[in-house]
């Protein structure tokens, strides 16, 4: 092993360790690895930057924009909603329909985007059918990944192996080259996941009333213990707060309390209409005489606040009164909803006070659920993390506005009152035509695939499916783009230093004597194992040249080996953080790490065995 190879493998091992730890963003790890390869003279600058000019990277940017047009026009929501309405209230039928609908959408857009669109729809349907959402959400995530195996654009690993085979002069894969074997993976995976889910997922369910808005709000309030430490105070005459805005008062920093809502009597002249109107407490809320403030905090803090400001502490502790748990947090005008922070959200590592939820959406963050723990105090100084579930409160129309932001947040279980028409819904037919035209161009092979995707991306903006280029850029997951652009040079270094040939030699020496099928199994499960710790795209980039070299050295057709790489990289279910969809449904489904191991691990292993046996039937050695 020469020095350059040793350095390259050391950088690769260090990168894999950092990917697995999750302490440093994956795109930063890829860039650091790229810089080291140049500084240590493994790659020249042109080789190091070649990844960002690679057609796979350009195609992915275009596909993100096309997917953004599909989401922003509501096309994906319309398609999935109509498909899921066919399922009725039978749990098995609902489960099959959820998986098939998400896999269909996942064949054309990113699996993360698919889950972001489907998740609130599935939660709503589960509630109305009296089924626990946890029975459906993990299968939803797995099916979105299976859908990616159906087409060339379904998942980045498919584009990686296409590029590898083209450069080697072996063959050029078309748009539907993946469909036959992907269909087998989808059918086998669906059957396995349904069977395993039936026996291994929690069987808790809710009654039919549980699907109604009021019950779901109560459940949210109880889960987050909203009524704990909730008090009411009233601003009587001569109260020091009257006429002042909450922004002027700085109550959180001074007393450590949080005002969630202000209620005041309506000014209607008819005495029969003396009702209390609620208003979400925002920085510009001005306190008026006789206002009732709902205050969240410890009793000593609230008492001190009331005494200092001349407020009257009303009645007993809110939890001790006969009331709904949502009193002070939800009404006809105001609601609460749970919001998930997806992987790669701009809010990750942001302090709650810097997140802009209150300024941009007029929403308060009442609590954070993080891996089974509930954070309810001193939230302003808390940093948000991937997979966090936030409980937000605000006007139903504000919650509806937030629900359109699929890139950075996902609103779960959106109540009917919060539903609003998508502003660009009239453009949905245009988005559908553009997507179909893109697929036709790729099938007809009139232009290179990357050009067809770029044409579709430009048309999404030109026709108004995306309002402008700024909105188009926001749809791109730049972390993924930089990750792929940074890892392609790593693949070049692995080949250039002879590391790929060395690993291929080891595979052939250890498994080649047992025949091409044993080597295929080795390639598949090695890729599958590595994907548990690093992204599926990075796994495909690293193993594609190794699989190609091993197949050529053994003198067999390399195509099934490259397909083994993309399938193994895409079908990763055993841990919650191996793929963004797995992580995205974890909080919403109330899953533990072991839930993924119990269901995902056997599904991943059994599906791997099936695919190893099936691949030679489609692509003979």
């Amino acid at each position: 092993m020469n020095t350059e190879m040793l350095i390259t493998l050391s950088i690769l091992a260090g990168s894999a360790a950092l990917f697995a730890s999750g302490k440093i963003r994956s795109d930063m790890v890829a860039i650091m690895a790229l810089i080291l390869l140049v500084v240590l003279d493994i790659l020249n600058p042109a080789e190091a930057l070649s990844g960002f000019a690679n057609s796979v990277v350009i195609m992915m940017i275009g596909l993100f924009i096309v997917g953004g047009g599909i989401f922003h026009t509501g096309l994906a929501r319309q398609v999935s909603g109509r498909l899921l309405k066919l399922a009725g209230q039978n749990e098995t039928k609902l489960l099959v329909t959820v998986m098939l609908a998400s896999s269909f959408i996942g064949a054309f857009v990113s699996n993360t985007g698919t889950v972001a669109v489907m998740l609130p729809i599935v939660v709503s349907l589960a509630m109305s059918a009296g089924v626990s959402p946890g029975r459906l959400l993990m299968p939803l995530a797995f099916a979105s990944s299976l859908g990616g195996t159906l087409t060339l654009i379904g998942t980045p690993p498919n584009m990686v192996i296409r590029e590898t085979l083209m450069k080697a002069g072996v063959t050029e894969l078309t748009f539907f080259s993946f469909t036959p074997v992907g269909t087998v993976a989808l059918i086998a995976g669906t059957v396995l996941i349904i069977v395993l889910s039936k026996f291994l997922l929690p069987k808790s369910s809710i009654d039919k009333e549980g699907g109604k808005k009021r019950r779901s709000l109560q459940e949210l309030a109880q889960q987050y213990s909203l009524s704990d430490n909730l008090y009411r105070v009233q601003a009587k005459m001569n109260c020091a707060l009257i006429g002042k805005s909450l922004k002027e008062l700085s109550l959180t920093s001074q007393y450590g309390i949080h005002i969630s809502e202000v209620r005041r009597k309506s000014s209607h002249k008819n005495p029969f209409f003396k009702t209390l109107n609620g208003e979400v407490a925002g920085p510009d809320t001005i306190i008026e005489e006789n206002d009732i403030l709902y205050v969240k905090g410890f009793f000593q803090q609230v008492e001190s606040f009331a005494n200092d400001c001349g407020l009257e502490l009303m009645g007993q502790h809110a939890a001790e009164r006969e009331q709904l748990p949502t009193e002070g947090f939800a009404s006809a005008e105001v609601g609460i909803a749970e919001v998930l922070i997806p992987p790669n959200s701009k809010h990750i590592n942001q302090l709650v006070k810097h997140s802009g939820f209150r300024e941009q959406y007029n929403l308060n963050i009442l609590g954070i659920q993080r891996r089974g723990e509930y954070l309810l105090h001193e939230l302003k100084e808390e940093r948000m993390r991937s997979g966090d579930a936030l409980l937000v409160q605000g006007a139903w129309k504000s919650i509806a506005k937030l629900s359109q932001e699929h890139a950075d947040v996902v609103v779960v279980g959106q109540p009917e009152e919060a539903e609003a028409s998508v502003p660009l819904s009239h453009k949905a037919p245009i988005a559908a035509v553009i997507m179909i035209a893109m697929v036709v161009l790729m099938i007809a092979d009139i232009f290179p695939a990357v050009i067809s995707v770029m044409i579709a991306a430009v048309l999404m903006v030109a026709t108004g499916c995306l309002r402008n280029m700024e909105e188009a850029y926001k749809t791109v997951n730049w972390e993924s783009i930089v990750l792929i652009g940074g890892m392609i040079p790593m693949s070049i270094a692995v080949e250039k230093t002879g590391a790929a040939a060395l690993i291929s030699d080891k595979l052939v020496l250890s498994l080649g004597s047992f025949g091409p099928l044993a080597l295929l199994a080795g390639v598949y499960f090695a890729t599958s194992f590595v994907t548990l710790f690093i992204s599926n795209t990075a796994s495909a980039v690293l193993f594609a040249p190794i699989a190609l070299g091993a197949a050529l050295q053994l003198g067999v057709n390399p195509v099934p080996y490259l397909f083994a790489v993309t399938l193994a990289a895409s079908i990763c279910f055993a841990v919650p953080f191996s793929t963004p969809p797995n992580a995205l449904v974890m909080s919403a489904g109330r899953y533990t790490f072991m839930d993924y191991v119990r269901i995902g691990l056997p599904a991943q292993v059994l599906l791997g065995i099936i695919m190893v046996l099936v691949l030679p039937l489609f692509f003979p050695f």
Side-chain angles (χ1 to χ4, degrees):
M1 185 182 295
N2 60 48
T3 305
E4 287 187 340
M5 187 190 301
L6 186 61
I7 292 172
T8 300
L9 292 177
S10 298
I11 294 173
L12 177 59
S15 300
L18 289 173
F19 282 138
S21 72
K23 292 181 178 179
I24 301 177
R25 282 174 50 128
S26 58
D27 52 348
M28 179 63 75
V29 173
I31 292 297
M32 289 191 301
L34 184 153
I35 291 170
L36 281 175
L37 290 172
V38 176
V39 170
L40 297 173
D41 204 28
I42 307 296
L43 296 177
N44 61 47
E47 291 170 327
L49 297 174
S50 63
F52 295 99
N54 191 284
S55 63
V56 172
V57 173
I58 306 301
M59 190 183 298
M60 278 197 66
I61 293 173
L63 289 172
F64 274 123
I65 294 173
V66 172
I70 291 168
F71 295 138
H72 279 67
T73 58
L75 176 61
R77 184 178 289 273
Q78 290 175 27
V79 171
S80 58
R82 287 175 184 173
L83 287 172
L84 291 177
K85 280 182 181 177
L86 302 174
Q89 297 192 341
N90 178 274
E91 183 181 329
T92 302
K93 191 176 178 183
L94 191 59
L95 185 56
V96 172
T97 308
V98 164
M99 293 193 68
L100 293 181
S102 57
S103 60
F104 172 78
I105 296 173
F108 299 97
V109 298
S110 75
N111 55 8
T112 306
T114 299
V115 173
V117 167
M118 293 282 289
L119 198 150
I121 299 173
V122 171
V123 169
S124 178
L125 282 171
M127 297 292 283
S128 63
V131 177
S132 170
R135 303 279 288 170
L136 303 176
L137 293 181
M138 191 182 291
L140 163 67
F142 294 167
S144 70
S145 296
L146 289 171
T149 66
L150 292 171
T151 64
L152 170 64
I153 63 173
T155 184
N158 289 358
M159 292 182 273
V160 170
I161 70 159
R162 175 181 179 270
E163 186 83 1
T164 302
L165 287 170
M166 281 178 61
K167 284 184 176 178
V170 176
T171 186
E172 184 171 348
L173 300 176
T174 64
F175 188 86
F176 287 117
S177 294
F178 300 83
T179 306
V181 70
T183 302
V184 174
L186 175 61
I187 294 171
T190 301
V191 172
L192 282 171
I193 292 164
I194 288 173
V195 171
L196 290 168
S197 298
K198 280 284 187 182
F199 291 102
L200 298 177
L201 274 177
K203 292 183 170 58
S204 59
S205 63
I206 54 177
D207 56 31
K208 299 297 179 183
E209 294 299 312
K212 295 183 179 179
K213 172 189 75 71
R214 179 57 60 187
R215 178 61 182 272
S216 62
L217 289 177
Q218 286 186 17
E219 287 179 347
L220 275 177
Q222 289 165 353
Q223 284 169 2
Y224 284 82
S225 303
L226 288 189
S227 59
D228 294 347
N229 301 321
L230 176 64
Y231 300 86
R232 298 187 303 168
V233 295
Q234 189 166 24
K236 293 292 190 180
M237 188 184 303
N238 300 323
C239 170
L241 304 185
I242 293 174
K244 295 182 179 179
S245 69
L246 294 182
K247 183 166 52 179
E248 298 175 60
L249 299 171
S250 303
L251 300 176
T252 303
S253 57
Q254 189 173 355
Y255 295 101
I257 61 170
H258 172 75
I259 295 179
S260 62
E261 187 173 348
V262 175
R263 296 219 177 167
R264 59 177 58 120
K265 285 185 179 180
S266 66
S267 58
H268 204 290
K269 293 181 180 178
N270 190 325
F272 293 104
F273 291 94
K274 287 183 178 178
T275 56
L276 286 176
N277 292 333
E279 177 185 335
V280 178
D284 298 321
T285 300
I286 295 176
I287 307 299
E288 297 179 7
E289 186 178 342
N290 292 322
D291 279 355
I292 296 173
L293 315 181
Y294 283 80
V295 185
K296 187 86 171 173
F298 295 112
F299 179 75
Q300 292 82 357
Q301 297 170 318
V302 177
E303 187 178 41
S304 176
F305 163 60
N307 291 336
D308 290 352
C309 300
L311 295 156
E312 180 183 328
L313 192 60
M314 300 178 64
Q316 301 177 27
H317 180 222
E320 295 168 358
R321 298 192 308 273
E322 292 182 2
Q323 60 167 30
L324 289 172
T326 53
E327 184 176 336
F329 295 99
S331 65
E333 302 85 18
V334 175
I336 56 176
E338 197 169 33
V339 173
L340 300 181
I341 302 297
N344 307 323
S345 166
K346 70 180 181 183
H347 297 303
I348 292 174
N349 290 324
Q350 272 187 345
L351 292 174
V352 167
K353 65 183 180 183
H354 296 153
S355 64
F357 272 74
R358 177 172 277 188
E359 294 78 9
Q360 189 174 355
Y361 300 105
N362 198 29
L363 294 171
N364 290 321
I365 297 177
L366 302 178
I368 299 175
Q369 190 250 117
R370 180 176 296 154
R371 300 189 183 183
E373 295 183 3
Y374 292 87
L375 310 176
L376 300 170
H377 299 288
E378 304 297 334
L379 292 180
K380 285 191 173 183
E381 301 302 323
E382 191 66 41
R383 290 190 183 276
M384 290 186 279
R385 301 178 189 172
S386 174
D388 277 357
L390 314 179
L391 191 68
V392 299
Q393 176 211 30
W396 291 121
K397 61 182 180 181
S398 298
I399 294 173
K401 180 182 177 184
L402 184 68
S403 70
Q404 297 165 20
E405 303 291 334
H406 297 303
D408 298 308
V409 293
V410 177
V411 177
V412 183
Q414 185 181 355
E416 290 181 4
E417 288 86 343
E419 290 182 356
S421 59
V422 180
L424 297 177
S425 58
H426 62 287
K427 298 283 188 178
I430 298 174
V433 170
I434 292 171
M435 188 185 76
I436 293 169
M438 179 187 76
V439 172
V440 170
L441 285 175
M442 295 180 80
I443 294 170
D445 202 22
I446 298 172
F447 307 110
V450 65
I451 300 300
S452 300
V453 172
M454 289 174 67
I455 290 171
V458 169
L459 287 175
M460 283 291 182
V461 179
T463 58
C465 294
L466 291 166
R467 292 185 180 91
N468 48 49
M469 284 303 294
E470 285 72 22
E471 192 170 74
Y473 290 139
K474 287 180 182 177
T475 66
V476 179
N477 185 329
W478 293 106
E479 182 176 350
S480 297
I481 296 301
V482 174
L483 170 65
I484 298 171
M487 288 304 295
I488 287 174
M490 174 63 78
S491 175
I492 294 171
V494 168
E495 288 187 81
K496 183 178 178 180
T497 60
L502 177 66
I503 298 171
S504 300
D505 288 344
K506 296 291 184 184
L507 278 172
V508 172
L509 285 173
S510 58
L511 298 173
S513 59
F514 296 101
L517 189 63
L519 181 62
L520 183 67
V523 168
Y524 187 101
F525 286 104
T527 308
S528 183
F529 176 76
V530 170
T531 307
L532 293 175
F533 306 102
I534 68 176
S535 79
N536 60 355
T537 305
S539 293
V541 169
L542 292 174
F543 274 92
I546 293 170
L548 178 69
L552 294 176
Q553 189 174 343
L554 197 65
V556 293
N557 179 14
V559 175
Y561 294 87
L562 271 296
F563 266 85
V565 168
T566 190
L567 288 168
S570 301
I571 302 170
C572 194
F573 306 149
V575 292
F577 307 110
S578 58
T579 64
N582 289 3
L584 191 55
V585 301
M586 188 176 185
S587 292
R590 310 289 182 227
Y591 300 125
T592 65
F593 184 91
M594 288 309 298
D595 287 332
Y596 287 87
V597 175
R598 278 202 312 272
I599 297 159
L601 183 59
Q604 185 171 327
V605 172
L606 290 172
L607 198 50
I609 293 170
I610 292 170
M611 298 321 298
V612 168
L613 296 175
V614 163
L615 276 170
L617 302 179
F618 290 100
F619 310 104
F621 296 124

